[in-house]
């Protein structure tokens, strides 16, 4: 995969994840700005780094390859993992709740009959 393909593909994935948490705007910088109050500053910096590299590789004629491809990929991986965790629905841990409801209903019923 070329550096241009890498930058565009990874930036596009991050844009989609940002949209899943309510981001709006035209590009990656705009989208992260729209939700940056919800995000840790370290995550905002990673996303802005990705956006800057993507813009340079796409728009600057003399920028032919990503200077630190491994660092870019790492920033993308970390940002994507953090955004996926934020976009995922919260997990409800429901251990024994039904039994508690039944116990409460039976106790309430017994108390009602005793009155």
């Amino acid at each position: 995969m070329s550096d241009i393909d890498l930058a565009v593909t990874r930036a596009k994935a991050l844009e989609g994840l940002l949209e899943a948490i309510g981001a709006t705007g035209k590009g990656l910088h705009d989208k992260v700005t729209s939700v940056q109050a919800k995000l840790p500053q370290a995550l905002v910096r990673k996303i802005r780094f990705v956006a800057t590299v993507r813009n340079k590789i796409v728009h600057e004629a003399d920028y032919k390859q990503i200077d630190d491809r491994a660092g870019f990929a790492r920033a993308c991986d970390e940002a994507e993992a953090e955004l996926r965790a934020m976009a995922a629905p919260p997990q409800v841990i429901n251990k024994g709740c039904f039994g508690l409801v039944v116990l409460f209903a039976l106790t309430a019923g017994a108390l009602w009959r005793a009155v």
Side-chain angles (χ1 to χ4, degrees):
M1 175 181 289
S2 74
D3 284 2
I4 292 174
D5 291 336
L6 175 67
V8 170
T9 301
R10 297 306 298 266
K12 187 174 180 178
L14 292 176
E15 285 186 33
L17 290 167
L18 283 167
E19 289 170 0
I21 61 169
T24 58
K26 187 175 178 185
L28 194 50
H29 277 300
D30 286 348
K31 286 183 171 106
V32 75
T33 296
S34 73
V35 292
Q36 72 182 4
K38 298 179 186 179
L39 305 176
Q41 284 305 310
L43 176 57
V44 170
R45 283 191 299 275
K46 286 176 197 167
I47 296 170
R48 290 206 184 278
F49 168 69
V50 171
T52 299
V53 170
R54 181 250 175 235
N55 288 345
K56 284 178 70 172
I57 197 101
V58 170
H59 297 294
E60 293 181 16
D62 60 337
Y63 193 76
K64 303 282 186 201
Q65 68 183 44
I66 298 171
D67 295 330
D68 179 9
R69 187 179 170 117
F72 177 80
R74 187 172 44 256
C76 291
D77 291 343
E78 291 171 3
E80 192 170 325
E82 289 180 58
L83 288 171
R84 281 192 192 285
M86 294 178 77
Q91 292 184 355
V92 177
I93 300 172
N94 198 359
K95 296 182 179 178
C97 184
F98 180 72
L100 194 57
V101 170
V102 171
L103 179 63
F104 176 76
L106 291 174
T107 304
L111 289 172
W112 182 263
R113 278 187 234 125
V115 175

